Amino acid sequence: MPEMNVDIFTIPLGFGQCYVLKGDGVIAIDAGAPKKGMAFEHALEVAEINPHDVNLVVLTHGHWDHIGSAMEIKSLTGAALTMHQSEVHWLENSLTPLSPGVTPWGKALTALHKVFMPFIKIPKAKVDLVLGDEGLSLVDYGIPGRIVHTPGHSSGSVSVLLETGEVFVGDLAMNRFPLRMSPGLPIFADNPAAVVSSWKMLIKLGASTVYPAHGRAFPITVIERAISRAAS
Ligand SMILES: [Zn+2]
Ligand SMILES: [Zn+2]
C-alpha cells in the first residue's frame, strides 16, 4: 500500500491545543478548554476543512482542558467522540478530577489548580465510541495509524500513533510554560511508573516525534533520556 500523506494542523484551544489530522479522512485529537467551539470552527475554516469532514474526535483523556469543548465540537462537526472506558463518566457527568503533582512544581500547580476548578464547567457530552485497553485502528477513518492505551498521566489516557512514527500523546508528555520549561515527562500523573511503561511501549511501536497537548512537538530522544534517568 502506498504511504498515505497526513497533514497535521495545530489548533490552540485555551490552555492547550488540539490537533486535526487530515489523510483520506479527518480526525481531531482533544477538545480543549470549555467555550472553544468558535475557535475550533475558525481554525478549520483557515485550514480549509469542512467541519462535516471531521469524523472522529479522539479525547486523549478526561481532564477539563481536553474535553471542555467536546460538546460544542461534536455539534459543529457531527463527529463521534471516543475515549477510554475508564474516563467516559467524567465527560458524561461533567466531572473535573485532577492528577496529583509528581514534582515539587507539579504539586504547587495542583494546589493552585484546585482553587479555580470550581469555576470550570464542562458541558456534558455523550461518548459515542467507548475504547477498551486494546485501542482502535484508525484506518477506517482514513488515517494510517491507531489509538493506543497509554495509562500513567491518568488511567484512561490514550495516544494516537501514526505509522510514520508521529505520536499524539495528550499529557503523557508536556512542553510548555507554566507546566515545564523544556519538553519532558508530565508533572502530574496518577501513576508515574505507568508513564514510563507506556513510553517504553510507544518507543517499541516506533514512536519518533512527540506531539504533546501543551507545547511544541519534539523528538523521542528527549523521552528516552528522561525515562533512563527515571529508571536509574
Ligand atoms: Zn491531563
Ligand atoms: Zn492537559
Side-chain angles (χ1 to χ4, degrees):
M1 204 170 77
E3 206 162 89
M4 191 196 300
N5 188 47
V6 177
D7 293 322
I8 300 168
F9 301 91
T10 305
I11 302 177
L13 291 181
F15 180 48
Q17 67 226 15
C18 86
Y19 294 98
V20 168
L21 306 186
K22 183 170 180 252
D24 282 350
V26 182
I27 69 165
I29 301 168
D30 277 335
K35 298 185 181 156
K36 296 293 171 189
M38 296 256 292
F40 184 81
E41 185 173 11
H42 179 69
L44 285 187
E45 209 175 290
V46 171
E48 297 181 338
I49 293 171
N50 183 330
H52 295 115
D53 289 344
V54 182
N55 289 318
L56 186 69
V57 180
V58 180
L59 302 166
T60 61
H61 62 296
H63 286 156
W64 68 275
D65 53 320
H66 299 257
I67 62 169
S69 293
M71 187 275 284
E72 286 183 38
I73 291 174
K74 181 176 173 170
S75 33
L76 169 75
T77 58
L81 300 177
T82 188
M83 70 190 296
H84 189 268
Q85 56 192 8
S86 61
E87 293 174 13
V88 164
H89 64 292
W90 298 358
L91 176 55
E92 294 191 339
N93 299 292
S94 301
L95 306 182
T96 53
L98 298 173
S99 293
V102 289
T103 60
W105 179 238
K107 286 177 183 143
L109 276 188
T110 299
L112 200 71
H113 222 131
K114 282 186 181 149
V115 176
F116 74 86
M117 287 318 289
F119 301 98
I120 292 177
K121 297 280 174 271
I122 305 292
K124 292 178 190 176
K126 173 102 183 66
V127 176
D128 306 282
L129 186 58
V130 176
L131 295 171
D133 293 352
E134 69 286 358
L136 181 75
S137 166
L138 292 170
V139 171
D140 286 348
Y141 295 91
I143 298 293
R146 58 176 160 142
I147 303 174
V148 185
H149 181 217
T150 50
H153 171 68
S154 67
S155 62
S157 287
V158 300
S159 299
V160 171
L161 176 65
L162 299 186
E163 281 171 12
T164 42
E166 286 97 348
V167 67
F168 301 82
V169 299
D171 286 351
L172 191 63
M174 295 178 170
N175 185 20
R176 184 171 183 246
F177 182 82
L179 302 172
R180 292 186 59 102
M181 303 302 286
S182 60
L185 300 177
I187 62 168
F188 317 115
D190 281 347
N191 184 340
V195 167
V196 172
S197 22
S198 288
W199 272 118
K200 285 184 175 160
M201 177 183 59
L202 286 174
I203 291 165
K204 209 177 268 175
L205 292 173
S208 60
T209 307
V210 180
Y211 289 79
H214 304 278
R216 269 207 272 266
F218 60 89
I220 194 71
T221 48
V222 172
I223 296 293
E224 287 168 340
R225 280 196 298 271
I227 61 177
S228 68
R229 273 198 303 271
S232 61

